[in-house]
Amino acid sequence: MIHMKDIDLKNKRVFIRLDLNVPLYNNKITSSARIDCSIPTIQLALKKHAKIIIASHLGRPEEGKYNEKFSLFPIFKYLKKKLPEVNIIFSKNYLQGIKIESNQIVVLENVRFNYGETKNDIDLSKKYANLCDIFVMDAFATAHRIESSTYGICDFVKQACIGPLLFSEIKILKNIFNKPIHPVVTVIGGAKVSTKFKLLNSLLKITDSMLVGGGIANTFISTNYSIGKSLYEKSFQEKAKKLYETKKIFLPIDSRVCTSFSIKSKSKIKLISNILPNEEILDIGDQTIKNYKEVIKKAKTIIWNGPMGVFEFPNFRKGTEEIAKSIANSSSFSIAGGGDTIAVIDLFNLKNKISYISTGGGSFLKFIENKTLPILERLKKF
Ligand code: 3PG
């Protein structure tokens, strides 16, 4: 793949697809992480005297309709603050063409306001391509989506290349898979094994120990014990048994349960073998925390995706908190990705203690599952 750093961008119109899909509350950015990670890409384009067009989606608005709630305007204002010396403008109507000078930045309004964006519409892809000389794909967090501004545009531009953020995210993940430093410990949580089955398979190839929590663990446990009202997936029990045969999977031996799923419910620690029909597992128990921490202590590489329980409920947060802190305090190389995982890192203020936090959620999982993404294959053709 051609890298943006190796192309002459001087006076060229460069369409950079970033993922500036950040959380907003009352029009205020609550986590700027994805924007901050994209700034070096913008700075590289400035250094190369490009005419910079920045495109991103924000949320999932209804296509073909403007909706202020999903406007990229707050992100534009944030960029202006971060790059005060740069001439940055915002463009709402850009599909018929835009005026732009070298070292100027035009931030486009949410690409998902454009009809056809998420369907990878050909006409829309052509319109994006007509805006520029070069397309830079740097939106790792949206790199698993085949949409007009992330993929279709490649069919109509003369030159396309990979940007620095996408490149480094892929490089780190590839390194872990190609040259894993053992022991590799994976920590996997979340609700459903069905959504992560491929991921587990893929991770088990390089993993020495896989620590499982959340609803995913319940499906494994349910093959041996009754787990009351707990969430589990009957149709995945056989597959779970097969995975367990690898002898790499660690499961909870105790858990925090309640009898009604509510933020106010009190938690009670029970052995996995003693769960009553009216009880529901919402977190791992203290003995499990201790066992998992022992394994984490010995790791040289940790790959973490998903919480150990319903961390949104304070009484069922301890397992997730203790495991998250133990990953953060470990001297291993730790990598974390996924929406809930990032929320946990933010909640316990562990950002600076994780070696690498991916900007991706779905794309992080998809890349681990398949070791590639469609846009990466597409970029290889330039
Ligand atoms: C994300 O937040 O995971 C990315 O920005 C992709 O967003 P999407 O799931 O709405 O495509």
Side-chain angles (χ1 to χ4, degrees), residues 287-302:
Q287 189 54 47
T288 307
I289 294 175
K290 205 167 156 229
N291 295 351
Y292 282 11
K293 279 181 164 179
E294 284 303 312
V295 179
I296 289 170
K297 238 192 238 163
K298 295 184 192 122
K300 286 266 190 313
T301 306
I302 301 175

Side-chain angles (χ1 to χ4, degrees), residues 58-186:
L58 183 77
R60 294 176 179 171
E62 190 186 329
E63 267 185 20
K65 269 193 183 167
Y66 173 79
N67 179 345
E68 199 190 341
K69 201 174 136 211
F70 295 103
S71 171
L72 236 77
F73 195 72
I75 285 98
F76 156 72
K77 281 205 304 198
Y78 181 86
L79 281 173
K80 260 181 106 64
K81 232 193 238 163
K82 279 275 173 176
L83 302 164
E85 72 289 1
V86 186
N87 177 3
I88 311 182
I89 59 168
F90 188 66
S91 178
K92 249 178 149 180
N93 300 308
Y94 49 84
L95 288 178
Q96 305 312 324
I98 40 180
K99 273 197 175 158
I100 184 166
E101 291 155 20
S102 291
N103 281 13
Q104 188 183 37
I105 299 176
V106 179
V107 178
L108 306 184
E109 181 54 289
N110 191 344
V111 288
R112 286 194 182 160
F113 288 162
N114 299 325
Y115 188 77
E117 165 65 18
T118 56
K119 286 167 207 74
N120 194 25
D121 180 77
I122 292 178
D123 287 340
L124 183 61
S125 304
K126 265 187 207 164
K127 284 183 180 152
Y128 291 144
N130 285 340
L131 298 177
C132 65
D133 305 304
I134 297 168
F135 169 59
V136 177
M137 176 57 181
D138 205 32
F140 174 64
T142 331
H144 59 313
R145 303 275 185 231
I146 298 184
E147 301 183 353
S148 288
S149 70
T150 58
Y151 189 93
I153 181 173
C154 288
D155 290 338
F156 305 101
V157 283
K158 275 194 224 85
Q159 178 72 69
C161 64
I162 189 166
L165 178 63
L166 177 57
F167 183 83
S168 76
E169 293 256 21
I170 299 298
K171 192 171 164 199
I172 283 181
L173 287 174
K174 277 203 162 157
N175 267 348
I176 286 187
F177 275 86
N178 295 343
K179 296 180 223 143
I181 302 175
H182 293 280
V184 176
V185 173
T186 48

Side-chain angles (χ1 to χ4, degrees), residues 95-366:
L95 288 178
Q96 305 312 324
I98 40 180
K99 273 197 175 158
I100 184 166
E101 291 155 20
S102 291
N103 281 13
Q104 188 183 37
I105 299 176
V106 179
V107 178
L108 306 184
E109 181 54 289
N110 191 344
V111 288
R112 286 194 182 160
F113 288 162
N114 299 325
Y115 188 77
E117 165 65 18
T118 56
K119 286 167 207 74
N120 194 25
D121 180 77
I122 292 178
D123 287 340
L124 183 61
S125 304
K126 265 187 207 164
K127 284 183 180 152
Y128 291 144
N130 285 340
L131 298 177
C132 65
D133 305 304
I134 297 168
F135 169 59
V136 177
M137 176 57 181
D138 205 32
F140 174 64
T142 331
H144 59 313
R145 303 275 185 231
I146 298 184
E147 301 183 353
S148 288
S149 70
T150 58
Y151 189 93
I153 181 173
C154 288
D155 290 338
F156 305 101
V157 283
K158 275 194 224 85
Q159 178 72 69
C161 64
I162 189 166
L165 178 63
L166 177 57
F167 183 83
S168 76
E169 293 256 21
I170 299 298
K171 192 171 164 199
I172 283 181
L173 287 174
K174 277 203 162 157
N175 267 348
I176 286 187
F177 275 86
N178 295 343
K179 296 180 223 143
I181 302 175
H182 293 280
V184 176
V185 173
T186 48
V187 179
I188 298 292
K192 290 184 169 178
V193 76
S194 55
T195 58
K196 293 194 183 168
F197 183 70
K198 270 179 90 178
L199 174 80
L200 298 187
N201 256 314
S202 188
L203 284 172
L204 279 167
K205 296 199 176 104
I206 56 152
T207 294
D208 298 292
S209 307
M210 179 177 278
L211 311 178
V212 185
I216 295 185
N218 296 348
T219 299
F220 284 91
I221 297 167
S222 71
T223 62
N224 277 320
Y225 298 103
S226 339
I227 52 167
K229 296 192 297 181
S230 312
L231 171 81
Y232 79 103
E233 289 171 287
K234 203 171 171 41
S235 57
F236 269 81
Q237 282 177 321
E238 285 312 310
K239 285 185 171 156
K241 272 189 197 163
K242 270 256 163 319
L243 291 182
Y244 195 67
E245 281 168 14
T246 59
K247 299 202 167 42
K248 294 177 174 180
I249 294 177
F250 287 64
L251 295 174
I253 56 166
D254 61 349
S255 59
R256 287 184 162 73
V257 302
C258 66
T259 48
S260 75
F261 186 85
S262 152
I263 193 160
K264 290 190 188 127
S265 288
K266 294 238 168 354
S267 71
K268 192 169 162 190
I269 296 195
K270 292 289 289 281
L271 281 177
I272 287 301
S273 50
N274 282 341
I275 310 288
L276 299 176
N278 64 340
E279 288 174 336
E280 192 172 355
I281 300 173
L282 295 192
D283 193 10
I284 56 175
D286 287 349
Q287 189 54 47
T288 307
I289 294 175
K290 205 167 156 229
N291 295 351
Y292 282 11
K293 279 181 164 179
E294 284 303 312
V295 179
I296 289 170
K297 238 192 238 163
K298 295 184 192 122
K300 286 266 190 313
T301 306
I302 301 175
I303 306 169
W304 171 28
N305 173 259
M308 293 289 104
V310 185
F311 71 97
E312 296 87 345
F313 294 177
N315 291 335
F316 298 93
R317 180 171 289 173
K318 190 175 173 195
T320 301
E321 178 171 5
E322 293 273 327
I323 297 304
K325 288 186 173 165
S326 131
I327 296 170
N329 291 328
S330 131
S331 56
S332 66
F333 181 83
S334 52
I335 173 160
D340 280 345
T341 317
I342 310 297
V344 169
I345 292 170
D346 281 346
L347 180 67
F348 302 121
N349 211 1
L350 303 173
K351 212 160 81 188
N352 299 326
K353 296 181 128 191
I354 305 291
S355 319
Y356 190 81
I357 301 174
S358 173
T359 57
S363 60
F364 174 81
L365 303 183
K366 275 276 170 284

